[in-house]
Amino acid sequence: MKIGLIGYGNIGRFLLQSINHNHLIKDGKITAISGRNPELGQKIADEYDAEYIQEVNQLIESDVDLVIEAATVEVVKKHAAAILKSGKDFLVISVGALADQSFYEQLHLICEKFGTKLLLPSGAIGGLDILKAAKSIGQLETVSITTRKPPKALPGAPLDQETVLFSGCAEDAIQKFPQNINVSIILSLAGIGPAKTAVTIIADPKVDKNNHTIEASGSFGKLSVKVENDPMPENPKTSYLAVLSVISALQSKDALIQMG
Amino acid sequence: MKIGLIGYGNIGRFLLQSINHNHLIKDGKITAISGRNPELGQKIADEYDAEYIQEVNQLIESDVDLVIEAATVEVVKKHAAAILKSGKDFLVISVGALADQSFYEQLHLICEKFGTKLLLPSGAIGGLDILKAAKSIGQLETVSITTRKPPKALPGAPLDQETVLFSGCAEDAIQKFPQNINVSIILSLAGIGPAKTAVTIIADPKVDKNNHTIEASGSFGKLSVKVENDPMPENPKTSYLAVLSVISALQSKDALIQMG
C-alpha cells in the first residue's frame, strides 16, 4: 500500500517514523508527502525516503493508494471529495470538517459511487465498538461524555476550583467549544448523532491529564468508559491515543483477522 | 453478499430475523443454513427464504461469500480451515476454538494464502478499539478483566456472599473456567495475550446482571471500561451485546466510512 501524507507537523512526522522507519503497517509505506513549506517538506521527504509534492492536487494524481490528512480542517474541506473521487481511500485526522452534516453525506455518496473508503480513527476516546454494536439494530438510547481537563489547558478557566465550562448537546459543543470538536464529532457519528449526544466539559484542578468518561445505555445494557490520556511524546497538546488510533486504523484496514 | 449460516438456535434465528427480515446488512442476505436437524432446518429455511443444506461440506461448496458459525467450538475446529481455503470469509461466534494458539496461527496463514478474512466479533465486552490502538506500536502494558455474575448463574457459588471463583491469567481461566471462555479469549487476542491478561471472576449477590470491568494501562494512559450486560430477548443465558456485535461486525466489514 502506497500512502500519501498531507502535513508534516508533529503528527505527520510521528506517522513517518512509525510507518517508514518502524514498519508498523504491513506492506505499507508513505511514498509521498505534501505541505506548504517546500524547504522543510523536501528535507523531511529525503529523511524518510519519500517524494515531496507541494500541491495536494498533484498528490491526488500520483499513484498512492491512500491519503492521510494530518493538516487542517480546511485541507479536508478543500480536497476530500477529489481524493475519494480519484479512487484513493482517505484517512482524516481533522474530523472537525465533518461537523457539517451535508458535507459528511456528500462524502458518503462519493465513496459509494467511486468504491472508496473514508477512514475515521477513534482519536482520544474509545469504546466505539460497543456503541456501534448497540446501535446496529437501532437500540442505543443515551450517550454522554464528560471531559475533564487541567485548568491551565483551558484559557480563561479559574485555576483553583472545578468549573463546568460547557454542558449541552454535541451540536452546540461543536459550535461553542472547538477545542473539544474531534471528540464530540467522533462520538456523535459512532453513536446517536450530535443533537442527542450530551457533552460536559469541566476545568478540574484535581486532574493533571485530560480524561474522558463516556456513558451509554440501551437495550444491550449500560456502558461506562473512562480514558485518561497521556500526551504524545514531545507534543504535550496532543493525546498519544489519538495518534496511535491512526496507526491502528491503518493496521485494521486490510487485516486478515478483524476483531470488534 | 450471500451469507451461509451454521446453526439455527437462538443466536442463529436472531441473525436470520435481523438480516433477512429486518435487512440490517446492506446488500446482505442469509441464503443458506446448515445444521444437524433436517426437519427443523428445512422449516426455518422456508420461513426465512433460505436454502437448507444439511452438511457443512456442501455449504462450503455453495456460492455463499461468507459463513457465520453460530453452533459450537467443534464446528469451528472441524470446518474453519476448509471454509477459509474455499475463498469465503468466516465469522466465528464460538471463539473458544481459538484458545489453541497453533490453530489460530494456522488460520492466519490460511487467510494470508487464500486472501480470506476471519471475523471475530467483540462479544459481550468492548473498548477493544483502545486496546488495539494502544498496542499498535507495542506499548500496551497491563490488561485485566473482572467479571461479576449473579451467584445463581454460577453453579456451586454461595448465594449469600461475594466469592472470588477465579483469579489468575487468561490462559488458566480458559482451561479452568470455560463459562467465561469467549470473553477471556477475545480480550487476550485484542490485547497482550492469554499469559499476561489478568482475569477475576466473582459471584456477587449484589448484582442481578453480568458485568465486566476491563482495565488497561500503557504509554497512551489509562483505561477503564465497565459494561453491564442485559440478556438477549427470549434467551437469558446470552448477553444481547454479544449478538449485536455480530451484526456490527458484518456491517463494518464493507463499510464505506470506517470508524475506530
Side-chain angles (χ1 to χ4, degrees), chain B residues 14 61 108 131 149 152 166 216 218-219 240 250:
Chain B
F14 182 87
E61 284 166 19
H108 192 278
L131 299 187
K149 296 190 179 190
K152 63 178 163 28
F166 178 87
S219 56
Y240 200 15
L250 291 168

Side-chain angles (χ1 to χ4, degrees), chain B residues 166 168-175 184-185 188 193-199:
Chain B
F166 178 87
C169 69
E171 198 164 27
D172 289 346
I174 289 163
Q175 301 299 325
S184 294
I185 289 174
S188 298
K196 288 197 219 156
T197 303
V199 175

Side-chain angles (χ1 to χ4, degrees), chain A residues 202-221:
Chain A
I202 298 172
D204 183 349
K206 292 190 301 299
V207 305
D208 58 357
K209 294 168 186 171
N210 295 353
N211 75 61
H212 307 278
T213 302
I214 295 168
E215 296 190 305
S217 67
S219 57
F220 76 96

Side-chain angles (χ1 to χ4, degrees), chain B residues 20 59 81 101 138 160-161 167 173 184 208:
Chain B
N20 285 17
L59 184 72
Q101 183 71 19
D160 54 353
Q161 65 182 58
S167 179
S184 294
D208 58 356

Side-chain angles (χ1 to χ4, degrees), chain A residues 149-154 156-165 202-207:
Chain A
K149 295 189 178 191
K152 61 177 165 27
L154 293 159
L159 294 174
D160 54 355
Q161 65 181 61
E162 185 174 309
T163 310
V164 176
L165 297 179
I202 298 172
D204 183 349
K206 292 190 301 299
V207 305

Side-chain angles (χ1 to χ4, degrees), chain A residues 26 251-259, chain B residues 84 89-90 104 107-120:
Chain A
K26 202 179 174 233
Q251 287 175 340
S252 298
K253 185 180 172 290
D254 300 311
L256 298 169
I257 300 183
Q258 292 185 349
M259 299 191 57
Chain B
L84 292 165
D89 294 333
F90 189 31
Y104 179 81
L107 296 185
H108 192 278
L109 289 172
I110 291 172
C111 287
E112 198 158 35
K113 186 165 170 190
F114 292 86
T116 45
K117 283 181 201 289
L118 183 64
L119 307 180
L120 306 178

